[in-house]
Amino acid sequence: MRSLLTAILLVATSVAAGPIYRSFDKDGNVIYSDKPAPGAKAVEVAPNTTTYSPPPLPNFSSKPSASQETVEQPAADLSYESFALLTPKNDEAVRANAGNVGVEFDVRPGLQPGHRIRVLLDGTAAAEITEAAGTLENVDRGTHTLSAELLDADGGVLARTPAVTFHLLRVSIL
Protein backbone atom coordinates (compact mmCIF):
# COMPACT_ATOMS: atom_id res chain seq x y z
CA MET A 1 0.00 0.00 0.00
CA ARG A 2 2.83 2.35 0.89
CA SER A 3 4.60 1.74 -2.42
CA LEU A 4 1.34 2.41 -4.29
CA LEU A 5 0.88 5.71 -2.51
CA THR A 6 4.49 6.62 -3.22
CA ALA A 7 4.02 5.74 -6.88
CA ILE A 8 0.93 7.89 -7.15
CA LEU A 9 2.64 10.85 -5.51
CA LEU A 10 5.70 10.48 -7.69
CA VAL A 11 3.68 10.21 -10.89
CA ALA A 12 1.54 13.18 -9.90
CA THR A 13 4.58 15.38 -9.43
CA SER A 14 6.57 13.95 -12.34
CA VAL A 15 5.77 16.74 -14.79
CA ALA A 16 7.56 19.32 -12.64
CA ALA A 17 10.17 16.99 -11.12
CA GLY A 18 11.66 15.34 -14.22
CA PRO A 19 11.99 11.67 -15.21
CA ILE A 20 10.70 8.81 -13.03
CA TYR A 21 12.42 5.42 -12.79
CA ARG A 22 10.88 2.08 -11.85
CA SER A 23 12.84 -0.80 -10.37
CA PHE A 24 12.25 -3.83 -8.14
CA ASP A 25 13.74 -4.66 -4.76
CA LYS A 26 14.97 -8.14 -3.72
CA ASP A 27 11.40 -9.13 -2.63
CA GLY A 28 9.86 -8.10 -5.96
CA ASN A 29 8.24 -4.89 -4.69
CA VAL A 30 8.05 -2.04 -7.18
CA ILE A 31 10.14 1.01 -6.34
CA TYR A 32 9.69 4.39 -8.03
CA SER A 33 12.43 6.99 -7.83
CA ASP A 34 13.63 10.17 -9.50
CA LYS A 35 17.19 8.74 -9.48
CA PRO A 36 18.17 5.89 -11.79
CA ALA A 37 19.19 2.66 -10.05
CA PRO A 38 20.85 -0.43 -11.56
CA GLY A 39 18.22 -2.19 -13.72
CA ALA A 40 15.72 0.70 -13.41
CA LYS A 41 13.65 1.67 -16.41
CA ALA A 42 12.35 5.14 -17.19
CA VAL A 43 8.58 5.52 -16.88
CA GLU A 44 6.84 7.72 -19.42
CA VAL A 45 4.27 9.95 -17.82
CA ALA A 46 1.68 11.69 -19.95
CA PRO A 47 1.47 15.43 -19.41
CA ASN A 48 -1.32 16.74 -17.28
CA THR A 49 -4.15 17.82 -19.57
CA THR A 50 -6.51 19.10 -16.91
CA THR A 51 -6.64 22.84 -16.51
CA TYR A 52 -8.80 24.87 -14.23
CA SER A 53 -9.95 28.41 -14.74
CA PRO A 54 -11.93 29.81 -11.83
CA PRO A 55 -15.08 31.74 -12.65
CA PRO A 56 -14.72 35.51 -12.55
CA LEU A 57 -15.42 37.16 -9.23
CA PRO A 58 -18.55 39.28 -9.04
CA ASN A 59 -18.08 43.01 -9.10
CA PHE A 60 -19.18 44.20 -5.66
CA SER A 61 -20.03 47.82 -5.17
CA SER A 62 -21.93 49.74 -2.55
CA LYS A 63 -24.63 50.80 -5.03
CA PRO A 64 -25.79 48.53 -7.85
CA SER A 65 -25.47 49.86 -11.36
CA ALA A 66 -28.59 50.38 -13.49
CA SER A 67 -28.07 46.97 -15.13
CA GLN A 68 -27.75 45.25 -11.73
CA GLU A 69 -30.86 46.78 -10.16
CA THR A 70 -33.75 44.38 -9.72
CA VAL A 71 -37.41 45.15 -9.44
CA GLU A 72 -39.12 43.59 -6.44
CA GLN A 73 -42.11 41.52 -7.40
CA PRO A 74 -45.14 41.29 -5.15
CA ALA A 75 -45.42 38.18 -2.99
CA ALA A 76 -48.42 36.95 -4.99
CA ASP A 77 -46.19 36.44 -8.03
CA LEU A 78 -43.77 34.15 -6.19
CA SER A 79 -43.91 30.50 -7.13
CA TYR A 80 -42.89 27.53 -5.05
CA GLU A 81 -39.85 25.46 -6.05
CA SER A 82 -40.83 22.49 -3.92
CA PHE A 83 -43.89 21.19 -2.08
CA ALA A 84 -43.58 17.66 -0.73
CA LEU A 85 -44.83 15.54 2.14
CA LEU A 86 -41.89 14.52 4.35
CA THR A 87 -43.65 12.62 7.16
CA PRO A 88 -45.22 10.21 7.43
CA LYS A 89 -43.34 8.30 4.76
CA ASN A 90 -45.07 6.00 2.30
CA ASP A 91 -45.99 2.61 3.86
CA GLU A 92 -44.75 3.76 7.28
CA ALA A 93 -46.21 2.26 10.44
CA VAL A 94 -47.01 5.05 12.91
CA ARG A 95 -47.52 4.08 16.54
CA ALA A 96 -49.72 6.67 18.24
CA ASN A 97 -52.09 5.39 20.92
CA ALA A 98 -53.85 8.76 21.16
CA GLY A 99 -54.31 8.82 17.37
CA ASN A 100 -52.21 11.96 16.86
CA VAL A 101 -50.20 11.83 13.64
CA GLY A 102 -47.50 14.41 12.97
CA VAL A 103 -47.24 15.70 9.40
CA GLU A 104 -44.28 17.60 7.99
CA PHE A 105 -43.83 19.24 4.59
CA ASP A 106 -40.98 20.59 2.51
CA VAL A 107 -42.13 24.00 1.26
CA ARG A 108 -39.57 26.05 -0.61
CA PRO A 109 -38.95 28.98 -0.55
CA GLY A 110 -41.24 28.92 2.51
CA LEU A 111 -44.95 29.40 3.05
CA GLN A 112 -45.93 32.89 1.87
CA PRO A 113 -48.15 35.16 4.00
CA GLY A 114 -51.79 34.20 3.59
CA HIS A 115 -50.97 30.80 2.09
CA ARG A 116 -51.81 27.58 3.90
CA ILE A 117 -51.67 23.81 3.59
CA ARG A 118 -54.84 21.70 3.41
CA VAL A 119 -54.14 18.18 4.69
CA LEU A 120 -56.28 15.48 3.11
CA LEU A 121 -56.79 12.25 5.06
CA ASP A 122 -58.37 9.49 2.97
CA GLY A 123 -59.36 12.11 0.38
CA THR A 124 -61.20 14.36 2.86
CA ALA A 125 -59.95 17.67 4.25
CA ALA A 126 -58.73 16.91 7.77
CA ALA A 127 -56.89 20.12 8.69
CA GLU A 128 -55.56 23.42 7.38
CA ILE A 129 -52.22 24.55 8.73
CA THR A 130 -50.20 27.72 8.23
CA GLU A 131 -46.80 26.17 8.93
CA ALA A 132 -44.79 23.39 7.32
CA ALA A 133 -45.67 20.98 10.16
CA GLY A 134 -48.74 20.07 12.13
CA THR A 135 -50.67 17.28 13.86
CA LEU A 136 -53.74 15.36 12.85
CA GLU A 137 -55.69 14.45 15.99
CA ASN A 138 -57.74 11.37 16.85
CA VAL A 139 -57.06 9.45 13.65
CA ASP A 140 -58.60 5.97 13.68
CA ARG A 141 -56.29 2.99 13.69
CA GLY A 142 -55.71 1.25 10.37
CA THR A 143 -54.40 2.09 6.91
CA HIS A 144 -54.88 5.61 5.57
CA THR A 145 -53.89 7.76 2.61
CA LEU A 146 -52.50 11.23 3.15
CA SER A 147 -51.90 14.07 0.71
CA ALA A 148 -51.93 17.85 0.83
CA GLU A 149 -52.75 20.92 -1.21
CA LEU A 150 -50.90 24.21 -1.07
CA LEU A 151 -53.50 26.99 -1.08
CA ASP A 152 -53.11 30.68 -1.89
CA ALA A 153 -54.83 33.47 0.09
CA ASP A 154 -58.04 33.04 -1.95
CA GLY A 155 -58.15 29.25 -1.46
CA GLY A 156 -56.89 28.42 -4.94
CA VAL A 157 -54.78 25.28 -5.22
CA LEU A 158 -51.15 26.12 -6.12
CA ALA A 159 -49.66 22.62 -5.75
CA ARG A 160 -50.50 19.10 -4.60
CA THR A 161 -48.43 16.33 -3.07
CA PRO A 162 -48.75 12.73 -4.22
CA ALA A 163 -50.72 10.56 -1.81
CA VAL A 164 -48.82 8.34 0.61
CA THR A 165 -50.16 5.39 2.55
CA PHE A 166 -49.43 4.98 6.26
CA HIS A 167 -50.59 2.52 8.89
CA LEU A 168 -51.68 3.86 12.29
CA LEU A 169 -51.11 1.45 15.16
CA ARG A 170 -53.23 2.11 18.27
CA VAL A 171 -54.01 -0.15 21.16
CA SER A 172 -57.43 -1.68 20.98
CA ILE A 173 -60.12 -0.32 23.30
CA LEU A 174 -61.49 -3.85 23.78
Side-chain angles (χ1 to χ4, degrees), residues 38-168:
K41 295 191 180 198
V43 176
E44 276 206 35
V45 179
N48 185 2
T49 59
T50 304
T51 58
Y52 173 74
S53 299
L57 293 174
N59 184 11
F60 293 107
S61 63
S62 59
K63 185 176 184 229
S65 68
S67 65
Q68 292 174 325
E69 289 183 16
T70 58
V71 178
E72 274 192 40
Q73 296 180 354
D77 290 345
L78 291 176
S79 61
Y80 291 93
E81 296 171 15
S82 173
F83 178 54
L85 179 62
L86 297 177
T87 58
K89 303 235 182 279
N90 193 39
D91 206 29
E92 180 178 2
V94 178
R95 183 173 301 278
N97 288 332
N100 299 334
V101 178
V103 293
E104 186 178 355
F105 300 92
D106 175 25
V107 183
R108 282 187 248 157
L111 210 52
Q112 301 300 316
H115 293 189
R116 59 197 184 279
I117 299 170
R118 178 185 298 147
V119 182
L120 303 169
L121 180 66
D122 299 325
T124 304
E128 284 194 11
I129 57 176
T130 57
E131 296 180 8
T135 303
L136 299 177
E137 297 178 352
N138 199 26
V139 177
D140 288 334
R141 65 190 232 164
T143 299
H144 300 278
T145 60
L146 185 71
S147 63
E149 299 172 330
L150 184 57
L151 307 176
D152 64 13
D154 298 325
V157 177
L158 299 172
R160 288 186 174 90
T161 65
V164 298
T165 300
F166 72 96
H167 314 281
L168 183 60

